[in-house]
Amino acid sequence: IHVYRLCPGFRQKNLCFIVFTIYLSGGSEHVATATLPASFNDLLPHFLIEPDDEYIVKNKPVTLTCRSTPATQIYFKCNGEWVHQDDHLIERTVDPATALPIMQVKIDISRQQVEKIFGLDDYWCHCVAWSTTGTQKSQKAYVRIAYLRKNFEEEPIGKEVALDQEVLLRCHPPEGVPPAEVEWQRNEDVIDPVTDPNFLVTADHNLIIKQARLADTANYTCVAKNIVARRKSSSATVLVYVNGGWSTWTTWSACSAVCGRGWQRRSRSCTNPTPLNGGVACDGQNVQKSACTATCPVDGGWSEWSKWSACGADCSMWRSRECTQPSPGTGGKDCQGIDLQSLNCTSQQCPQSKSDKILSLETISASGVEDVALYVGIVAVALCLTLLLIVVVLVYRRKKEGLDADVADSSILTTGFQPMGIKPSKPENSHLLTIQPDLTTTTTSYQGTLRSRHDGTNHTGTAKFSLTNGPLLDPLPNGSHHTLHNGKLTTDPAEFMTRLSSQTYFKTLPHDVTNTSYGTFNFLGGRLTIPNTGISLLIPPEAIPRGKIYEIYLTAQRKEDLRLPLAGCQTLLSPIVSCGPPGVVLTRPVILSMDHCSDACPENWAVRLKKQNYEGVWEVRTNMCTYLFSEPYYCQLEAETCRVFSEQLGRFSLVGESLNMAAAKRLRLVLFSDAYCSTLEYNIRVYCMDDTQDVFKEVMQMERQLGGRLIDEPHVLLFKDSYHNLRLSIHDMPQAHWRSKLLAGYQEIPFYHIWNGSQRYLHCTFTLERLSLSTCELTCQLCVWQVEGEGQKFLLMETNPNGMALAGPSAFQIPYLIRQKICSSLDTPCPNGADWRLLAQRLKLDRHMSFFASKPSPTSVILDLWEAQHFHSGNLNQLATVMADIGKQEAMIFLVSDGEC
C-alpha cells in the first residue's frame, strides 16, 4: 500500500486528497481517497479507549477494544506480531463536535491462542493508530487464563484459648489467576471487621481475634474466591474456656457443739467464675473446718431465802430470794418459782389493840375445832380413793399383759413367751473345745437353720452367650429366706411385722419379712443376720440384764419408704437400718454391722452417723473415728463395712459429705438379660446401684420375678463428686449377626440421680436385634465412663453366685465360759503390759484404744469386735496363738480336741 498526499489543486477549499495506491494480486491498481479538515493535518492520533488486561474463564474468548482519533488506520499487534486484518472488527464514526474521524477496532483472543505461548512471558497485545502526521502505540494489555487451585497452601488450625486471650488463625489461600480474595466465616456467617471491631483481617489474610469472648467459641472457615471458583478451607474450632475461680469464703457456721469442744465449717464454691468448656477446676478445698469451743449454757439457781420481815400492820410478813446462784447465762434457763413469799403473822405478833387480840383469840378457839375435823375427813377420803385407783390399775395391767414380772418385753408385743429348754448343738469345728453354757438360770432356747454358700467362679476373656429360640438363659435359682434366731420364734412372721408397724414409732417399718430378722434373747446374747445384705446385729453376752428377756428385731428400710433429708454435698453411704425396740435397757453396747459405699479415704469425706429420734427427726450422733465419752455411740469405718457400737437401739444410717471433688462412691454395675428370647429382639438391662449387699439383694429378687438372669458378675466403679453424668455404651458386637436399636451411641444417667441416693438403684436397657433366629451367640463389651473422666470397659461374663448364711445354736465362735476367763485375765492392768492393750495391738485394733478404755471391760469389747469382723472367717487357733504370745495360758484351752474333753 502506497500513500500519497495531494493538496495543491484544492487549497482554496482547505481540502487535501490522500491517494491510496493498493496493489492487488491481479496487478491492477485501485485508488481510494479520503479528505480531512486542513486544520488537523498536523495532529497525531490519541487513544480514547486502550485495551485492558483480560482473563479467559474456561474456554470463553475475550475481546480487546481500541479507539482513537484522528486515525486513518488502527491495527493490533500481539506478542510482536501483527494480527491479520481479517481478525479486526472496524467501526468508523465522526465526532460531531470537532468533525474528526473516530476509528474503533476490536479483536477476539481465544484460549488456544494464549496456550500457544510457552515460557515465562504472558500473552500481550497493543494497538497502533496512524494519522497523516504519524503513529501512536497504546498500552499493553495482558491476556491470561484464569484459574484457582483446590488446596489451600495453609489452612487455619483449631485452638483452645483462655478468656480474653488473643487468637491468631492463619490462612494462605490457593494459588490462582487472578489472585483470590479472602473472607472469613464464623459458623457459616461472614465476619465483618467493620461491624465487629474485635476481629481483624490482616493483609496476608490471617484472622485475629483481639480478645476471645465466650461467644467467639465457634467453627471458623477461610473462604478464597476469584472469577473462576470459590474454595473453602476445613473448619477450625476455637474453644474459649474459662478457668474456675473460688468465690469468697462464707462466714463460719455455728459451732456443732452446744456445750464444749466442737467443729465449725465454712465453704466456698468454684463459681467465680465457674469453669466452662474444659477449663481448669479450682485448686484447693471447698470446705474448711476449725475446732471451736462453745460456752456451756448456765441455768439460773436460787439463793437462800432471806429472813422473815417483821409482822406488818396487815398481819403478814415477807421473805425473798434472788436468781443469783448462779445467774442464768449463755442461753441458760431462768429460775423456776417465786422470788417473794408471804405468811400471815400469829396473833401474838400482830400489832393490834389488846381488846382486838382477846376477841380474835376467842373466835379462833371456837372455829379451830371445826376446821380440824373438816381437814381430817378430806385427807381420809383422798387416801381411800388413791388406794382404790392403785388396785384397779394393777388388776387391769395383769389382765392386759399377762406377763411374768421378770420378763421385759419390747412394749409393742401383746403375747407372752412359752419358754423351752433345749441344749445347743456343738459347733462344726471338731477340734475346738465347746463348753456348754449354764442354762439353768434361764428358760431361753436357741433355734436356727443352716444354709451353705459357694463362691462365684471368676471367668476371664470375652464371654459368649448361648442363645436358643426357646429358653434363652436359665432362670435364676429360687432363693430361700433365712433368718437366724436366738430364742423362740413367733408363730407368724407376717403377723409379727403387722403388729410391729402398727405402733406409732414403727409406721415406716416395711410390712414384708424378706429384709427382717428377729428373735428372743437373754443375758447370753446372740446375733441377728439379714441374709445376703451385709447387715447383722451382735448382742454380746451380758448386754441384756440377767433375768430379762427381750424380743429384738433387725430390718433394712427401703429408701422409697423412708426419706432421709440431705443437703449440699451430702450423700447416703449405707442402708437405713432399724433395730429395736428402742428404749430397752442395755448394760453394754451392741454392734451393728452394715455395708457402706464410700472409697474410705478420710481426707475426702466427712462421714457421720445419723439416728432418728422419737419425733422422726434425724440427728447427727457422732463423727466417724471420733469418740466422746458423753455419747453412747462409736463407729469404726472399715474398707467396705461400718461397725456401730451403740448402747441404744433405734434407726441408723451413714451419711457422707464430700470435702473435695476427689471423693468417690463405689457403684456396683449388674447386668441382666431376658431368660426367654423367641423373637429377634434381645434386651440387656444394666443396673447402677450403691455397692452394698442389701441393694443387690433387692435387685436380684426383682429380676427373679421378671424372669431375668444375671449374665455377668457385678463390677465396681468409682463415681466421683465431679458433677459429671455417667455414660454407658455397648461395643464390639458382631455386625454380621447383631445390631443395636438405639438411636444414640450411648445412654446417660444424670449425676444427681446417683449422688443423692434417693433411689436405691437406677437402670438403663440396651435393646439389640439379631438378624436371624439362627444366631445363638453374642459377644460384646460394656463401656462405662463418667463424662470428662476416665472410662472402664467390662467384658460381659456369666456367673452363678450363691449366698451363705451360717446358723446354729451358738451365734459366737468363742465359748461363753472361755470368754469370761479371758476377760478376767486381761481386764486387770499388768505392769509388763500383757493386758487388754496388748491384745488390741496384736489384733490391729489399737487405733480404738480410747473407746476400749472407756468401757468397764475393755477385753469384752475387743472380743465383741473380733466376733463381728470374723463371723464367716474367724480362726480360733489364730486367736489362741495371739493369747499364747501375750503369755496367757488360758488360751491353750482352744487347742483341746473333743476327744480329750
Side-chain angles (χ1 to χ4, degrees):
I1 301 174
H2 297 279
V3 180
Y4 304 94
R5 182 180 181 187
L6 302 177
C7 298
F10 304 93
R11 287 188 183 273
Q12 68 274 13
K13 296 183 180 180
N14 294 328
L15 294 176
C16 289
F17 285 90
I18 304 298
V19 179
F20 297 89
T21 301
I22 303 174
Y23 298 94
L24 303 177
S25 59
S28 59
E29 291 187 4
H30 296 275
V31 179
T33 63
T35 61
L36 293 173
S39 58
F40 297 100
N41 290 337
D42 298 331
L43 292 179
L44 290 174
H46 70 276
F47 292 97
L48 301 178
I49 298 176
E50 295 184 83
D52 293 324
D53 295 341
E54 295 290 344
Y55 297 93
I56 297 178
V57 179
K58 298 183 180 180
N59 294 321
K60 184 178 181 181
V62 297
T63 300
L64 299 180
T65 303
C66 188
R67 178 184 295 178
S68 178
T69 183
T72 58
Q73 292 295 330
I74 300 177
Y75 290 97
F76 274 92
K77 193 174 187 179
C78 296
N79 283 78
E81 296 181 1
W82 291 102
V83 179
H84 197 276
Q85 64 179 359
D86 292 340
D87 296 331
H88 290 73
L89 179 61
I90 301 174
E91 180 181 351
R92 298 178 186 272
T93 59
V94 177
D95 188 352
T98 62
L100 291 176
I102 299 175
M103 188 174 186
Q104 177 175 292
V105 178
K106 295 181 180 181
I107 63 172
D108 291 335
I109 307 298
S110 67
R111 184 185 184 99
Q112 290 77 12
Q113 292 176 260
V114 177
E115 289 178 345
K116 289 180 181 179
I117 304 301
F118 296 99
L120 300 177
D121 295 334
D122 292 330
Y123 189 91
W124 59 269
C125 294
H126 70 256
C127 59
V128 181
W130 283 269
S131 70
T132 57
T133 306
T135 61
Q136 289 286 356
K137 294 181 180 180
S138 70
Q139 66 181 8
K140 285 186 177 181
Y142 291 90
V143 180
R144 301 179 179 90
I145 299 176
Y147 67 91
L148 183 63
R149 300 194 185 279
K150 292 184 177 180
N151 297 326
F152 281 73
E153 296 186 10
E154 184 179 7
E155 291 188 300
I157 301 175
K159 295 183 178 181
E160 294 182 1
V161 296
L163 189 68
D164 296 331
Q165 181 180 339
E166 183 180 272
V167 185
L168 173 61
L169 297 178
R170 297 183 179 275
C171 177
H172 194 169
E175 179 186 355
V177 174
E181 297 178 357
V182 173
E183 67 180 16
W184 284 87
Q185 293 182 351
R186 179 178 64 177
N187 292 339
E188 304 297 331
D189 295 329
V190 178
I191 297 176
D192 186 5
V194 177
T195 59
D196 192 348
N198 194 44
F199 293 101
L200 174 64
V201 180
T202 63
D204 51 354
H205 311 302
N206 296 330
L207 177 66
I208 296 178
I209 305 176
K210 299 177 182 179
Q211 287 185 326
R213 304 160 297 190
L214 287 177
D216 294 331
T217 298
N219 294 322
Y220 290 84
T221 308
C222 180
V223 179
K225 59 182 179 179
N226 63 5
I227 60 175
V228 179
R230 187 172 185 265
R231 312 289 187 200
K232 276 188 175 184
S233 69
S234 58
S235 296
T237 301
V238 174
L239 181 66
V240 181
Y241 61 85
V242 179
N243 293 327
W246 288 114
S247 64
T248 57
W249 288 101
T250 61
T251 57
W252 288 99
S253 65
C255 193
S256 61
V258 180
C259 175
R261 185 176 177 82
W263 297 92
Q264 58 183 166
R265 66 189 296 271
R266 65 175 183 173
S267 62
R268 58 180 179 175
S269 59
C270 189
T271 56
N272 188 28
T274 302
L276 295 174
N277 297 336
V280 179
C282 300
D283 186 17
Q285 293 187 350
N286 62 341
V287 176
Q288 278 188 351
K289 291 189 175 181
S290 176
C292 60
T293 303
T295 305
C296 298
V298 178
D299 296 336
W302 290 113
S303 64
E304 296 293 333
W305 286 102
S306 64
K307 294 183 179 181
W308 289 101
S309 65
C311 191
D314 56 350
C315 291
S316 63
M317 52 184 180
W318 304 85
R319 66 174 181 176
S320 63
R321 58 180 179 176
E322 297 180 350
C323 188
T324 58
Q325 293 186 359
S327 299
T330 322
K333 299 178 180 179
D334 291 330
C335 299
Q336 302 295 322
I338 60 175
D339 59 351
L340 190 64
Q341 189 178 36
S342 65
L343 185 66
N344 291 333
C345 303
T346 60
S347 301
Q348 293 79 6
Q349 296 174 336
C350 184
Q352 294 184 359
S353 62
K354 187 176 180 180
S355 59
D356 293 337
K357 293 181 181 179
I358 296 174
L359 181 60
S360 177
L361 289 174
E362 292 176 352
T363 305
I364 291 175
S365 61
S367 60
V369 176
E370 297 177 359
D371 292 341
V372 169
L374 177 62
Y375 292 152
V376 170
I378 292 175
V379 170
V381 172
L383 290 176
C384 293
L385 292 176
T386 302
L387 292 176
L388 180 61
L389 179 62
I390 292 174
V391 172
V392 171
V393 170
L394 291 176
V395 172
Y396 173 79
R397 292 186 61 182
R398 184 171 297 277
K399 290 182 179 181
K400 180 68 176 179
E401 299 179 359
L403 297 176
D404 195 302
D406 293 334
V407 178
D409 195 4
S410 62
S411 77
I412 59 170
L413 305 175
T414 57
T415 58
F417 297 95
Q418 299 177 2
M420 301 170 59
I422 303 176
K423 291 186 177 182
S425 61
K426 293 188 294 183
E428 295 179 359
N429 297 333
S430 60
H431 64 284
L432 302 180
L433 174 62
T434 302
I435 298 181
Q436 301 291 349
D438 185 8
L439 302 181
T440 59
T441 59
T442 179
T443 58
T444 303
S445 65
Y446 295 82
Q447 297 179 1
T449 58
L450 184 62
R451 180 179 174 186
S452 61
R453 180 176 74 173
H454 305 282
D455 295 334
T457 305
N458 295 329
H459 302 273
T460 58
T462 302
K464 293 184 177 179
F465 304 106
S466 177
L467 309 178
T468 63
N469 293 330
L472 180 63
L473 298 171
D474 296 333
L476 289 171
N478 293 326
S480 59
H481 169 66
H482 166 74
T483 305
L484 175 62
H485 301 282
N486 180 8
K488 176 182 175 295
L489 288 171
T490 55
T491 56
D492 187 358
E495 179 186 355
F496 172 78
M497 294 308 302
T498 302
R499 289 189 290 110
L500 193 64
S501 59
S502 64
Q503 303 300 316
T504 304
Y505 180 74
F506 306 98
K507 290 295 185 181
T508 56
L509 284 178
H511 290 270
D512 61 83
V513 296
T514 56
N515 290 322
T516 303
S517 181
Y518 51 90
T520 56
F521 303 90
N522 65 354
F523 77 97
L524 293 176
R527 186 191 306 267
L528 288 176
T529 301
I530 302 178
N532 303 322
T533 62
I535 301 173
S536 64
L537 180 67
L538 180 71
I539 307 170
E542 307 294 342
I544 299 177
R546 288 179 177 265
K548 298 292 184 181
I549 300 176
Y550 293 157
E551 183 164 8
I552 297 178
Y553 66 86
L554 177 68
T555 182
Q557 300 282 163
R558 294 181 180 269
K559 294 181 182 178
E560 55 268 23
D561 297 335
L562 186 65
R563 297 289 183 179
L564 192 149
L566 300 174
C569 301
Q570 292 182 347
T571 182
L572 193 61
L573 297 178
S574 74
I576 302 175
V577 180
S578 297
C579 56
V584 298
V585 179
L586 299 175
T587 58
R588 56 186 299 178
V590 297
I591 302 178
L592 175 64
S593 300
M594 54 185 175
D595 290 349
H596 70 85
C597 60
S598 74
D599 58 359
C601 294
E603 63 273 10
N604 298 335
W605 290 95
V607 182
R608 298 177 178 87
L609 176 70
K610 284 195 173 185
K611 180 179 182 294
Q612 191 178 34
N613 60 20
Y614 290 96
E615 288 77 20
V617 179
W618 287 92
E619 301 173 339
V620 176
R621 304 310 307 177
T622 181
N623 292 334
M624 199 55 55
C625 300
T626 302
Y627 176 65
L628 299 177
F629 290 93
S630 60
E631 287 289 342
Y633 309 99
Y634 179 73
C635 291
Q636 178 195 358
L637 192 66
E638 301 173 2
E640 298 180 357
T641 307
C642 174
R643 316 280 182 187
V644 180
F645 294 76
S646 176
E647 298 177 6
Q648 299 176 3
L649 302 182
R651 184 169 293 145
F652 299 92
S653 181
L654 207 63
V655 174
E657 182 176 6
S658 60
L659 302 180
N660 50 60
M661 297 180 68
K665 290 178 65 174
R666 294 193 326 276
L667 300 182
R668 184 179 298 190
L669 299 176
V670 189
L671 286 78
F672 290 88
S673 65
D674 299 329
Y676 297 93
C677 183
S678 58
T679 64
L680 295 177
E681 285 191 358
Y682 180 65
N683 296 320
I684 295 179
R685 293 180 293 277
V686 182
Y687 288 84
C688 177
M689 67 191 77
D690 292 344
D691 186 22
T692 56
Q693 299 182 49
D694 65 306
V695 185
F696 178 64
K697 175 185 177 182
E698 183 177 342
V699 172
M700 290 289 292
Q701 292 174 344
M702 183 184 67
E703 279 290 334
R704 186 180 297 114
Q705 296 175 357
L706 296 176
R709 171 156 182 206
L710 185 68
I711 62 174
D712 192 14
E713 64 180 8
H715 301 280
V716 176
L717 172 71
L718 291 180
F719 186 77
K720 293 185 177 181
D721 182 17
S722 61
Y723 302 100
H724 294 303
N725 300 336
L726 188 69
R727 289 182 178 177
L728 304 95
S729 60
I730 286 185
H731 301 276
D732 299 340
M733 290 186 303
Q735 299 296 327
H737 304 288
W738 293 87
R739 70 180 182 91
S740 174
K741 299 189 68 174
L742 295 179
L743 299 179
Y746 59 86
Q747 298 196 53
E748 192 166 286
I749 302 177
F751 168 82
Y752 288 102
H753 289 184
I754 299 176
W755 193 258
N756 62 15
S758 59
Q759 302 182 41
R760 292 175 63 86
Y761 50 82
L762 302 162
H763 85 280
C764 57
T765 301
F766 291 92
T767 302
L768 310 180
E769 184 179 31
R770 48 181 176 171
L771 303 182
S772 173
L773 288 174
S774 61
T775 302
C776 298
E777 288 185 355
L778 170 62
T779 303
C780 56
Q781 199 172 46
L782 174 68
C783 296
V784 182
W785 72 100
Q786 197 172 359
V787 181
E788 303 295 338
E790 297 180 355
Q792 298 186 29
K793 294 184 178 180
F794 303 121
L795 298 176
L796 304 189
M797 300 158 55
E798 290 194 46
T799 184
N800 187 20
N802 292 318
M804 180 186 69
L806 298 179
S810 176
F812 306 96
Q813 300 197 48
I814 306 174
Y816 178 69
L817 295 182
I818 296 178
R819 177 193 179 93
Q820 286 184 322
K821 290 184 178 182
I822 295 176
C823 293
S824 62
S825 175
L826 296 183
D827 280 343
T828 305
C830 187
N832 59 359
D835 51 20
W836 64 269
R837 291 169 293 184
L838 186 57
L839 176 63
Q841 183 179 358
R842 294 296 176 85
L843 295 179
K844 299 180 180 180
L845 300 174
D846 47 338
R847 65 181 182 275
H848 309 295
M849 284 291 192
S850 60
F851 173 67
F852 298 147
S854 65
K855 302 304 175 185
S857 176
T859 308
S860 63
V861 181
I862 294 174
L863 296 180
D864 293 343
L865 185 55
W866 185 89
E867 289 273 7
Q869 290 178 328
H870 302 88
F871 180 41
H872 300 296
S873 59
N875 190 332
L876 292 180
N877 288 332
Q878 293 179 355
L879 185 60
T881 303
V882 172
M883 295 295 298
D885 292 341
I886 296 176
K888 300 298 182 179
Q889 300 302 320
E890 295 86 349
M892 297 305 295
I893 195 170
F894 286 123
L895 304 179
V896 180
S897 64
D898 289 343
E900 294 171 339
C901 291

